[in-house]
Amino acid sequence: MIPTMSVDADVSEIADALSLEGVVVVTGLLDETRRDAVRSELAPHMAKSQVLDQDDPGDFFPSKTRRLSALVTHSDSIGELILDPHTQELCDRILLPNGEYGHQLHITVALEVGPGARQQILHRDHESFSFFPDPKPNIVLAAMWAITDFRADNGATLVVPGSHTWQKERKPEESEIYPAEMPAGSVMFWLGGTLHGAGANVSNEWRYGIALGYSVGWVRQEENIYLDVPPERAAELSPALRKAIGYTTYRALGFSVRQNVGLA
Ligand SMILES: O=C(O)CCC(=O)C(=O)O
Ligand SMILES: [Fe+2]
């Protein structure tokens, strides 16, 4: 089962469920006005995303899906999601023990799963950190913001609770895989070690989610944020958001002539 809690739940309970199961859904985090704002800001860029009709079963991304990254460049309201207090609190609790000088934004992607899309390959988001034996320490935490409802039939993310503690070789039984069904405005949080992937969409609607990943401040970010959010764009952001996306230092790491990246 995927633990589900409301936004009013105590954040320590949310963090405990996330640590225990590797996944938690929190409902009621984003109202319709704010969902519409972020979606409409991204729409012209999302429209340029190429939708493949022909599926390659080995491809990480199934056909009939739309994807867009560099969300900080494309949207002003995404900052509010990135800095969401629940998310930041969960990152503090789960990532700071493995990187006490701070965490950072790791990746931003809008993900639309269209009718007829197959299931995505189940994976762990921290696979790139292959240096660490499995189960790896918590280096990555991810959040999926449901912009539309997520249902089993429209491609809700499939998750294997508990799989963050598994050895790499263990494969999930069908009965261990759950769809993260949640109403629009909810957020699913999961750990870098939790097996998951977009579900198949057998409905006739598109499922729209925004995935925001976070990592400990001493690893390379998955998205090349310094290229995708260049200094000119970074200068337009609030200091808190600029810092959150990685324009900051982690002890000696990441210094810059640009005033340790306050950008003066
Ligand atoms: O779209 C989804 O539900 C999950 C996507 C995902 O896990 C990924 O692209 O890494
Ligand atoms: Fe993923």
Side-chain angles (χ1 to χ4, degrees), residues 53-143:
D53 230 16
Q54 206 57 43
D55 194 57
D56 171 353
D59 201 342
F60 182 67
F61 292 113
S63 64
K64 305 188 171 75
T65 57
R66 276 192 209 111
R67 287 179 304 283
L68 178 73
S69 59
L71 303 190
V72 176
T73 295
H74 298 318
S75 158
D76 286 331
S77 24
I78 198 74
E80 201 187 333
L81 278 59
I82 292 167
L83 294 174
D84 162 63
H86 276 78
T87 309
Q88 292 295 323
E89 178 73 28
L90 292 173
C91 285
D92 286 353
R93 287 169 185 254
I94 289 181
L95 299 178
L96 287 186
N98 293 332
E100 74 227 77
Y101 298 104
H103 44 75
Q104 61 191 350
L105 189 64
H106 193 55
I107 184 166
T108 63
V109 215
L111 293 152
E112 261 193 298
V113 176
R118 69 159 160 87
Q119 181 190 322
Q120 187 182 30
I121 296 162
L122 295 181
H123 61 278
R124 296 183 162 93
D125 284 345
H126 70 190
E127 282 313 326
S128 296
F129 304 112
S130 53
F131 171 81
F132 293 102
D134 292 280
K136 303 187 198 308
N138 288 322
I139 301 169
V140 170
L141 187 154

Coordinates of all heavy atoms in Angstrom, one line a residue, residues 53-143:
D53 N 5.1 8.2 -32.1 CA 4.0 7.3 -32.3 C 4.4 5.9 -32.2 O 3.7 5.0 -31.7 CB 3.3 7.6 -33.6 CG 1.8 7.8 -33.4 OD1 1.4 8.0 -32.3 OD2 1.1 7.7 -34.5
Q54 N 5.7 5.6 -32.7 CA 6.2 4.3 -32.7 C 7.0 4.0 -31.5 O 7.9 4.7 -31.1 CB 7.1 4.2 -34.0 CG 7.3 2.9 -34.6 CD 6.0 2.2 -35.0 OE1 5.1 2.9 -35.5 NE2 5.8 1.0 -34.6
D55 N 6.6 2.9 -30.8 CA 7.3 2.6 -29.5 C 8.5 1.8 -29.7 O 8.5 0.8 -30.5 CB 6.3 1.9 -28.5 CG 6.8 1.9 -27.1 OD1 7.1 3.0 -26.6 OD2 7.0 0.8 -26.5
D56 N 9.6 2.1 -28.9 CA 10.7 1.2 -28.8 C 10.7 0.6 -27.4 O 10.9 1.3 -26.5 CB 12.0 2.0 -29.1 CG 13.3 1.2 -28.8 OD1 13.2 0.1 -28.3 OD2 14.4 1.7 -29.1
P57 N 10.4 -0.7 -27.3 CA 10.2 -1.3 -26.0 C 11.4 -1.1 -25.0 O 11.2 -1.1 -23.8 CB 9.9 -2.8 -26.2 CG 9.7 -2.9 -27.7 CD 10.3 -1.7 -28.4
G58 N 12.6 -0.9 -25.6 CA 13.8 -0.8 -24.8 C 14.0 0.7 -24.3 O 14.9 0.9 -23.5
D59 N 13.2 1.6 -24.9 CA 13.5 3.0 -24.6 C 12.9 3.3 -23.2 O 11.9 2.9 -22.8 CB 12.7 3.8 -25.6 CG 13.3 5.2 -25.7 OD1 14.0 5.7 -24.8 OD2 13.0 5.9 -26.7
F60 N 13.7 4.1 -22.5 CA 13.3 4.5 -21.1 C 12.0 5.2 -21.1 O 11.1 5.0 -20.3 CB 14.4 5.4 -20.5 CG 14.1 5.8 -19.0 CD1 14.1 4.8 -18.0 CD2 13.8 7.1 -18.7 CE1 13.8 5.2 -16.7 CE2 13.6 7.5 -17.4 CZ 13.6 6.5 -16.4
F61 N 11.8 6.1 -22.2 CA 10.5 6.8 -22.3 C 9.6 6.2 -23.3 O 10.0 6.0 -24.5 CB 10.8 8.3 -22.6 CG 11.5 9.0 -21.5 CD1 12.7 9.5 -21.7 CD2 10.8 9.2 -20.3 CE1 13.4 10.2 -20.7 CE2 11.4 9.9 -19.3 CZ 12.7 10.4 -19.5
P62 N 8.4 5.7 -22.9 CA 7.5 5.2 -23.9 C 7.1 6.2 -24.9 O 7.2 7.4 -24.7 CB 6.3 4.8 -23.0 CG 6.8 4.8 -21.6 CD 7.9 5.8 -21.6
S63 N 6.6 5.7 -26.1 CA 6.0 6.6 -27.1 C 4.7 7.2 -26.5 O 4.2 6.8 -25.4 CB 5.7 5.9 -28.4 OG 4.7 4.9 -28.1
K64 N 4.1 8.1 -27.2 CA 2.8 8.7 -26.8 C 2.9 9.4 -25.4 O 2.0 9.4 -24.6 CB 1.7 7.7 -26.7 CG 1.5 6.9 -28.1 CD 0.3 6.1 -28.1 CE 0.0 5.5 -29.4 NZ 0.9 4.4 -29.8
T65 N 4.1 10.0 -25.2 CA 4.3 10.8 -24.0 C 4.9 12.1 -24.4 O 5.6 12.2 -25.4 CB 5.2 10.1 -23.0 OG1 6.5 9.9 -23.6 CG2 4.7 8.8 -22.4
R66 N 4.7 13.2 -23.6 CA 5.3 14.5 -23.8 C 6.1 14.8 -22.6 O 5.7 14.6 -21.4 CB 4.3 15.6 -23.9 CG 3.7 15.7 -25.3 CD 2.9 17.1 -25.4 NE 1.9 16.9 -26.4 CZ 0.6 16.8 -26.1 NH1 0.1 17.0 -24.8 NH2 -0.3 16.6 -27.0
R67 N 7.3 15.3 -22.8 CA 8.2 15.7 -21.7 C 8.9 17.0 -21.9 O 9.2 17.4 -23.1 CB 9.3 14.7 -21.6 CG 8.9 13.3 -21.1 CD 10.1 12.4 -21.0 NE 10.7 12.2 -22.3 CZ 10.2 11.5 -23.3 NH1 9.1 10.9 -23.1 NH2 10.8 11.5 -24.5
L68 N 9.1 17.7 -20.8 CA 9.7 19.1 -20.9 C 10.6 19.2 -19.7 O 10.1 19.0 -18.6 CB 8.7 20.2 -21.0 CG 9.2 21.6 -21.0 CD1 9.8 21.9 -22.4 CD2 8.0 22.6 -20.7
S69 N 11.8 19.6 -19.9 CA 12.7 19.9 -18.7 C 13.0 21.4 -18.7 O 12.4 22.2 -19.4 CB 13.9 19.0 -18.7 OG 14.7 19.2 -19.8
A70 N 14.0 21.8 -17.9 CA 14.3 23.3 -17.8 C 13.1 24.1 -17.4 O 12.9 25.2 -17.8 CB 14.9 23.8 -19.1
L71 N 12.4 23.6 -16.4 CA 11.1 24.2 -16.1 C 11.3 25.6 -15.4 O 10.5 26.5 -15.5 CB 10.3 23.3 -15.1 CG 9.9 21.9 -15.7 CD1 8.9 21.2 -14.8 CD2 9.4 22.0 -17.1
V72 N 12.5 25.8 -14.8 CA 12.7 27.1 -14.1 C 12.9 28.2 -15.2 O 12.5 29.3 -14.9 CB 14.0 27.0 -13.2 CG1 14.3 28.3 -12.6 CG2 13.8 25.9 -12.1
T73 N 13.3 27.8 -16.3 CA 13.5 28.8 -17.4 C 12.1 29.1 -18.0 O 11.9 30.3 -18.4 CB 14.5 28.3 -18.4 OG1 15.7 28.2 -17.8 CG2 14.6 29.2 -19.6
H74 N 11.3 28.1 -18.1 CA 10.0 28.3 -18.8 C 8.9 28.8 -18.0 O 7.8 29.2 -18.5 CB 9.6 26.9 -19.4 CG 10.5 26.3 -20.3 ND1 11.2 27.1 -21.3 CD2 11.0 25.1 -20.5 CE1 12.0 26.3 -22.0 NE2 11.9 25.1 -21.5
S75 N 9.0 28.8 -16.6 CA 7.8 29.1 -15.8 C 8.2 29.9 -14.6 O 9.2 29.7 -14.0 CB 7.2 27.8 -15.4 OG 6.4 28.0 -14.2
D76 N 7.4 31.0 -14.3 CA 7.7 31.7 -13.0 C 7.0 31.0 -11.8 O 7.6 31.1 -10.8 CB 7.1 33.1 -13.2 CG 8.0 34.0 -14.1 OD1 9.2 33.7 -14.1 OD2 7.5 34.9 -14.7
S77 N 5.9 30.4 -12.1 CA 5.2 29.8 -10.9 C 5.8 28.5 -10.4 O 5.5 28.0 -9.3 CB 3.7 29.7 -11.0 OG 3.3 29.6 -12.3
I78 N 6.7 27.9 -11.2 CA 7.3 26.6 -10.8 C 8.2 26.8 -9.5 O 8.3 25.9 -8.7 CB 8.2 26.0 -11.9 CG1 8.5 24.5 -11.6 CG2 9.5 26.7 -12.1 CD1 7.3 23.6 -11.9
G79 N 8.6 28.0 -9.3 CA 9.5 28.3 -8.1 C 8.7 28.0 -6.8 O 9.3 27.5 -5.8
E80 N 7.4 28.3 -6.8 CA 6.6 28.0 -5.6 C 6.6 26.5 -5.3 O 6.6 26.1 -4.1 CB 5.2 28.5 -5.9 CG 4.4 28.8 -4.7 CD 3.0 29.1 -5.1 OE1 2.8 29.7 -6.2 OE2 2.1 28.9 -4.3
L81 N 6.5 25.7 -6.3 CA 6.5 24.3 -6.2 C 7.9 23.8 -5.7 O 8.0 22.9 -4.8 CB 6.2 23.5 -7.5 CG 4.7 23.4 -7.8 CD1 4.0 24.8 -7.9 CD2 4.5 22.6 -9.1
I82 N 8.9 24.3 -6.3 CA 10.3 23.9 -5.9 C 10.6 24.2 -4.4 O 11.2 23.4 -3.7 CB 11.3 24.6 -6.8 CG1 11.2 24.1 -8.2 CG2 12.8 24.4 -6.3 CD1 11.9 24.9 -9.3
L83 N 10.1 25.4 -4.0 CA 10.4 25.8 -2.6 C 9.2 25.4 -1.6 O 9.3 25.9 -0.5 CB 10.5 27.4 -2.6 CG 11.7 27.9 -3.3 CD1 11.7 29.5 -3.3 CD2 13.0 27.4 -2.6
D84 N 8.3 24.6 -2.1 CA 7.2 24.2 -1.2 C 7.7 23.8 0.1 O 8.6 22.9 0.2 CB 6.5 23.0 -1.9 CG 5.6 22.3 -1.0 OD1 4.7 22.9 -0.4 OD2 5.9 21.1 -0.7
P85 N 7.1 24.3 1.2 CA 7.6 24.0 2.6 C 7.6 22.6 2.9 O 8.5 22.1 3.6 CB 6.7 24.9 3.5 CG 6.1 25.9 2.6 CD 6.1 25.4 1.2
H86 N 6.6 21.8 2.5 CA 6.5 20.4 2.8 C 7.7 19.7 2.2 O 8.4 18.9 2.8 CB 5.3 19.7 2.3 CG 4.1 19.9 3.2 ND1 3.4 21.0 3.3 CD2 3.5 19.0 4.1 CE1 2.4 20.9 4.2 NE2 2.5 19.7 4.7
T87 N 8.0 20.0 0.9 CA 9.1 19.4 0.2 C 10.4 19.7 0.9 O 11.3 18.8 1.1 CB 9.1 19.9 -1.2 OG1 7.9 19.7 -1.8 CG2 10.1 19.1 -2.0
Q88 N 10.6 21.0 1.2 CA 11.9 21.4 1.8 C 12.1 20.8 3.1 O 13.2 20.3 3.5 CB 11.9 23.0 1.9 CG 12.0 23.7 0.5 CD 13.3 23.4 -0.2 OE1 14.3 23.3 0.4 NE2 13.2 23.3 -1.5
E89 N 11.0 20.6 3.9 CA 11.1 20.0 5.2 C 11.5 18.5 5.1 O 12.3 18.0 5.8 CB 9.8 20.1 5.9 CG 9.7 19.5 7.3 CD 10.5 20.2 8.4 OE1 10.6 21.4 8.3 OE2 10.9 19.5 9.3
L90 N 10.9 17.8 4.1 CA 11.2 16.4 3.8 C 12.6 16.3 3.4 O 13.4 15.4 3.8 CB 10.2 15.8 2.8 CG 8.8 15.6 3.3 CD1 7.9 15.2 2.2 CD2 8.7 14.7 4.5
C91 N 13.1 17.2 2.5 CA 14.5 17.2 2.1 C 15.4 17.4 3.3 O 16.4 16.7 3.4 CB 14.7 18.3 1.0 SG 14.1 17.9 -0.6
D92 N 15.1 18.3 4.1 CA 15.9 18.6 5.3 C 16.0 17.3 6.1 O 17.1 16.9 6.5 CB 15.3 19.6 6.2 CG 15.5 21.0 5.6 OD1 16.1 21.2 4.6 OD2 14.9 22.0 6.2
R93 N 14.9 16.6 6.3 CA 14.9 15.4 7.2 C 15.6 14.2 6.6 O 16.3 13.5 7.2 CB 13.5 15.0 7.6 CG 12.9 16.0 8.6 CD 11.4 15.7 8.7 NE 10.8 16.7 9.6 CZ 10.3 16.5 10.8 NH1 10.5 15.3 11.4 NH2 9.8 17.4 11.5
I94 N 15.4 14.1 5.3 CA 15.9 12.9 4.6 C 17.3 13.0 3.9 O 18.1 12.1 3.9 CB 14.8 12.4 3.7 CG1 13.7 11.9 4.5 CG2 15.3 11.3 2.7 CD1 12.5 11.3 3.9
L95 N 17.6 14.2 3.4 CA 18.8 14.4 2.7 C 19.9 15.0 3.6 O 21.1 14.7 3.4 CB 18.6 15.3 1.5 CG 17.7 14.7 0.4 CD1 17.5 15.6 -0.7 CD2 18.1 13.3 -0.1
L96 N 19.6 15.9 4.5 CA 20.7 16.6 5.3 C 21.5 15.6 6.1 O 22.7 15.8 6.2 CB 20.1 17.7 6.3 CG 19.6 19.0 5.6 CD1 19.2 20.0 6.7 CD2 20.6 19.6 4.7
P97 N 20.9 14.5 6.6 CA 21.8 13.5 7.3 C 22.9 13.0 6.4 O 24.0 12.6 6.9 CB 20.9 12.4 7.7 CG 19.5 13.1 7.8 CD 19.5 14.1 6.7
N98 N 22.8 13.0 5.1 CA 23.8 12.6 4.2 C 24.5 13.7 3.5 O 25.3 13.5 2.5 CB 23.2 11.6 3.2 CG 22.8 10.3 3.9 OD1 23.3 9.9 4.9 ND2 21.8 9.7 3.3
G99 N 24.3 14.9 3.9 CA 24.9 16.1 3.3 C 24.5 17.3 4.1 O 23.6 18.1 3.7
E100 N 25.2 17.5 5.2 CA 24.7 18.5 6.2 C 24.8 19.9 5.7 O 24.2 20.8 6.3 CB 25.6 18.3 7.4 CG 27.0 18.9 7.3 CD 28.1 17.9 7.8 OE1 28.4 16.9 7.1 OE2 28.6 18.1 8.9
Y101 N 25.5 20.2 4.6 CA 25.6 21.6 4.2 C 24.6 22.1 3.2 O 24.6 23.2 2.7 CB 27.0 21.9 3.6 CG 28.1 21.7 4.7 CD1 28.9 20.6 4.6 CD2 28.2 22.6 5.7 CE1 29.8 20.3 5.6 CE2 29.2 22.4 6.7 CZ 30.0 21.3 6.7 OH 30.9 21.0 7.7
G102 N 23.6 21.2 2.9 CA 22.5 21.6 2.0 C 22.2 20.6 0.9 O 22.9 19.8 0.6
H103 N 20.9 20.8 0.5 CA 20.5 20.0 -0.7 C 20.1 20.9 -1.8 O 20.1 22.2 -1.6 CB 19.3 19.1 -0.3 CG 18.2 19.8 0.5 ND1 17.3 20.7 0.0 CD2 18.0 19.8 1.9 CE1 16.5 21.2 1.0 NE2 16.9 20.6 2.1
Q104 N 19.9 20.4 -3.0 CA 19.7 21.2 -4.2 C 18.7 20.6 -5.1 O 18.3 19.4 -5.0 CB 21.1 21.2 -5.0 CG 21.5 19.8 -5.4 CD 22.9 19.7 -5.9 OE1 23.6 20.7 -6.1 NE2 23.4 18.5 -6.1
L105 N 18.2 21.4 -6.0 CA 17.3 20.9 -7.0 C 18.1 19.9 -7.9 O 19.3 20.3 -8.3 CB 16.7 22.0 -7.8 CG 15.6 21.7 -8.8 CD1 14.4 21.2 -8.1 CD2 15.2 22.9 -9.6
H106 N 17.5 18.8 -8.3 CA 18.3 17.8 -9.1 C 17.8 17.7 -10.5 O 18.6 17.6 -11.4 CB 18.1 16.4 -8.3 CG 19.0 15.3 -8.8 ND1 20.3 15.4 -8.8 CD2 18.7 14.1 -9.2 CE1 20.9 14.2 -9.2 NE2 19.9 13.4 -9.5
I107 N 16.5 17.8 -10.6 CA 15.9 17.7 -12.0 C 14.5 18.3 -12.0 O 13.8 18.2 -10.9 CB 15.9 16.2 -12.5 CG1 15.4 16.1 -13.9 CG2 15.1 15.3 -11.5 CD1 15.6 14.8 -14.6
T108 N 14.1 18.8 -13.1 CA 12.7 19.3 -13.2 C 12.1 18.8 -14.6 O 12.8 18.9 -15.6 CB 12.6 20.9 -13.3 OG1 13.3 21.3 -14.5 CG2 13.2 21.5 -12.1
V109 N 11.0 18.1 -14.5 CA 10.4 17.6 -15.8 C 8.9 17.6 -15.7 O 8.3 17.1 -14.7 CB 10.7 16.1 -16.1 CG1 10.9 15.9 -17.6 CG2 11.9 15.5 -15.3
A110 N 8.3 18.1 -16.7 CA 6.8 17.9 -16.9 C 6.6 16.7 -17.7 O 7.3 16.5 -18.7 CB 6.2 19.2 -17.5
L111 N 5.7 15.8 -17.3 CA 5.5 14.5 -17.9 C 4.1 14.3 -18.2 O 3.3 14.1 -17.3 CB 6.0 13.4 -16.9 CG 7.5 13.4 -16.6 CD1 7.8 12.8 -15.3 CD2 8.3 12.6 -17.7
E112 N 3.7 14.2 -19.5 CA 2.4 13.9 -19.9 C 2.3 12.5 -20.5 O 3.1 12.3 -21.5 CB 1.9 15.0 -20.9 CG 1.0 16.0 -20.3 CD 0.3 16.8 -21.4 OE1 1.0 17.5 -22.2 OE2 -0.9 16.8 -21.4
V113 N 1.5 11.7 -20.0 CA 1.3 10.3 -20.5 C 0.0 10.3 -21.3 O -1.0 10.5 -20.7 CB 1.3 9.3 -19.3 CG1 1.1 7.9 -19.8 CG2 2.6 9.4 -18.6
G114 N 0.1 9.9 -22.6 CA -1.0 10.0 -23.4 C -1.8 8.6 -23.6 O -1.2 7.6 -23.2
P115 N -3.0 8.7 -24.1 CA -3.7 7.4 -24.3 C -2.9 6.5 -25.2 O -2.3 6.9 -26.2 CB -4.9 7.9 -25.1 CG -5.1 9.4 -24.7 CD -3.7 9.9 -24.5
G116 N -2.9 5.2 -24.8 CA -2.1 4.2 -25.5 C -0.7 4.0 -25.1 O 0.0 3.1 -25.6
A117 N -0.2 4.9 -24.2 CA 1.3 4.8 -23.8 C 1.4 3.5 -23.0 O 0.6 3.2 -22.1 CB 1.7 6.0 -23.0
R118 N 2.5 2.8 -23.2 CA 2.8 1.6 -22.4 C 3.4 2.0 -21.1 O 3.7 3.1 -20.9 CB 3.8 0.7 -23.2 CG 5.2 1.3 -23.3 CD 6.3 0.3 -23.5 NE 7.5 0.9 -24.0 CZ 8.4 1.4 -23.3 NH1 8.3 1.4 -22.0 NH2 9.5 2.0 -23.8
Q119 N 3.5 1.0 -20.2 CA 4.1 1.2 -18.9 C 5.6 1.5 -19.1 O 6.3 0.9 -20.0 CB 4.0 -0.1 -18.1 CG 4.5 0.0 -16.7 CD 4.6 -1.3 -16.0 OE1 3.7 -2.1 -16.1 NE2 5.6 -1.6 -15.2
Q120 N 6.1 2.4 -18.3 CA 7.6 2.7 -18.3 C 8.3 1.6 -17.6 O 7.7 1.0 -16.7 CB 7.8 4.1 -17.6 CG 9.2 4.6 -17.7 CD 9.4 5.9 -17.0 OE1 8.7 6.2 -16.0 NE2 10.3 6.7 -17.5
I121 N 9.6 1.4 -17.9 CA 10.4 0.4 -17.2 C 10.5 0.9 -15.8 O 10.8 2.1 -15.5 CB 11.8 0.4 -17.9 CG1 11.6 -0.2 -19.4 CG2 12.8 -0.5 -17.1 CD1 12.8 0.1 -20.3
L122 N 10.3 0.0 -14.8 CA 10.5 0.3 -13.4 C 12.0 0.6 -13.2 O 12.8 -0.1 -13.7 CB 10.0 -0.8 -12.5 CG 8.5 -1.1 -12.5 CD1 8.1 -2.2 -11.6 CD2 7.6 0.1 -12.2
H123 N 12.3 1.6 -12.4 CA 13.7 2.0 -12.2 C 13.8 2.7 -10.8 O 12.8 3.1 -10.2 CB 14.1 2.9 -13.3 CG 13.3 4.2 -13.4 ND1 12.0 4.2 -14.0 CD2 13.5 5.4 -12.9 CE1 11.5 5.4 -13.9 NE2 12.4 6.2 -13.2
R124 N 15.1 3.0 -10.5 CA 15.3 3.8 -9.3 C 16.0 5.1 -9.8 O 16.9 5.0 -10.6 CB 16.3 3.0 -8.3 CG 15.7 1.8 -7.8 CD 16.6 1.1 -6.8 NE 15.9 0.2 -5.9 CZ 15.7 -1.1 -6.2 NH1 16.3 -1.7 -7.3 NH2 15.0 -1.9 -5.4
D125 N 15.6 6.2 -9.2 CA 16.1 7.5 -9.8 C 17.6 7.7 -9.4 O 18.2 8.6 -9.9 CB 15.2 8.7 -9.3 CG 13.9 8.8 -10.1 OD1 13.8 8.1 -11.1 OD2 13.0 9.5 -9.6
H126 N 18.1 7.0 -8.4 CA 19.5 7.3 -8.0 C 20.5 6.3 -8.7 O 21.7 6.2 -8.2 CB 19.6 7.3 -6.5 CG 19.5 6.0 -5.8 ND1 19.3 5.8 -4.4 CD2 19.4 4.7 -6.3 CE1 19.2 4.6 -4.1 NE2 19.2 3.9 -5.2
E127 N 20.1 5.6 -9.7 CA 20.9 4.6 -10.4 C 22.3 5.2 -10.8 O 23.3 4.5 -10.9 CB 20.3 4.0 -11.6 CG 19.2 3.0 -11.3 CD 19.7 1.9 -10.3 OE1 20.9 1.6 -10.3 OE2 18.9 1.5 -9.5
S128 N 22.3 6.5 -11.2 CA 23.6 7.1 -11.7 C 24.7 7.0 -10.6 O 25.9 7.1 -10.9 CB 23.4 8.5 -12.1 OG 22.5 8.5 -13.2
F129 N 24.3 6.9 -9.3 CA 25.3 6.9 -8.2 C 25.7 5.5 -8.0 O 25.6 5.0 -6.9 CB 24.8 7.6 -7.0 CG 24.3 9.0 -7.3 CD1 23.0 9.4 -7.3 CD2 25.2 10.0 -7.7 CE1 22.6 10.7 -7.7 CE2 24.9 11.3 -8.1 CZ 23.5 11.6 -8.0
S130 N 26.2 4.8 -9.0 CA 26.5 3.4 -9.0 C 27.7 3.1 -8.0 O 27.9 1.9 -7.7 CB 26.8 2.9 -10.4 OG 27.8 3.7 -11.0
F131 N 28.4 4.1 -7.6 CA 29.6 3.9 -6.7 C 29.1 3.3 -5.4 O 29.8 2.5 -4.8 CB 30.1 5.3 -6.4 CG 31.1 5.3 -5.3 CD1 32.5 4.9 -5.5 CD2 30.8 5.7 -4.0 CE1 33.4 4.9 -4.5 CE2 31.7 5.7 -2.9 CZ 33.0 5.3 -3.2
F132 N 27.9 3.6 -5.0 CA 27.3 3.1 -3.7 C 26.7 1.7 -4.0 O 25.9 1.5 -4.9 CB 26.3 4.0 -3.1 CG 26.9 5.3 -2.7 CD1 26.7 6.4 -3.5 CD2 27.6 5.4 -1.5 CE1 27.2 7.7 -3.1 CE2 28.1 6.6 -1.1 CZ 27.9 7.8 -1.9
P133 N 27.0 0.7 -3.1 CA 26.3 -0.6 -3.2 C 24.8 -0.4 -2.8 O 24.5 0.5 -2.1 CB 27.1 -1.5 -2.2 CG 27.7 -0.5 -1.2 CD 28.0 0.8 -2.0
D134 N 24.0 -1.3 -3.3 CA 22.6 -1.3 -2.9 C 22.3 -2.0 -1.6 O 23.0 -3.0 -1.4 CB 21.8 -1.9 -4.0 CG 21.8 -1.1 -5.3 OD1 21.0 -0.2 -5.4 OD2 22.6 -1.5 -6.2
P135 N 21.4 -1.6 -0.8 CA 20.6 -0.4 -1.0 C 21.5 0.8 -0.7 O 22.2 0.9 0.3 CB 19.5 -0.6 0.0 CG 20.0 -1.6 1.0 CD 21.0 -2.4 0.4
K136 N 21.3 1.8 -1.5 CA 22.2 3.0 -1.4 C 21.6 4.0 -0.3 O 20.5 3.9 0.0 CB 22.2 3.8 -2.8 CG 22.6 3.0 -3.9 CD 22.8 3.8 -5.2 CE 22.8 3.0 -6.5 NZ 23.8 1.9 -6.5
P137 N 22.5 4.9 0.2 CA 22.0 5.9 1.1 C 21.1 6.8 0.4 O 21.0 6.9 -0.8 CB 23.3 6.6 1.6 CG 24.3 6.3 0.5 CD 23.9 5.0 -0.1
N138 N 20.3 7.6 1.2 CA 19.4 8.6 0.6 C 20.2 9.8 0.0 O 20.7 10.6 0.8 CB 18.4 9.1 1.6 CG 17.4 8.1 2.0 OD1 16.9 7.3 1.1 ND2 17.0 8.0 3.3
I139 N 20.3 9.8 -1.3 CA 21.0 10.9 -2.0 C 20.0 11.7 -2.8 O 20.2 12.9 -3.0 CB 22.0 10.3 -3.0 CG1 23.0 9.4 -2.2 CG2 22.7 11.3 -3.8 CD1 23.8 8.5 -3.1
V140 N 18.9 11.1 -3.1 CA 17.8 11.7 -4.0 C 16.5 11.6 -3.3 O 16.2 10.5 -2.8 CB 17.8 11.1 -5.4 CG1 16.6 11.5 -6.2 CG2 19.1 11.3 -6.1
L141 N 15.7 12.6 -3.4 CA 14.3 12.6 -3.0 C 13.5 13.2 -4.2 O 14.0 14.2 -4.8 CB 14.1 13.4 -1.8 CG 12.7 13.3 -1.1 CD1 12.9 13.6 0.4 CD2 11.7 14.3 -1.6
A142 N 12.4 12.6 -4.6 CA 11.6 13.1 -5.7 C 10.2 13.4 -5.3 O 9.6 12.8 -4.4 CB 11.7 12.1 -6.9
A143 N 9.6 14.4 -6.1 CA 8.2 14.7 -5.8 C 7.5 14.8 -7.2 O 8.0 15.4 -8.1 CB 8.1 16.1 -5.2

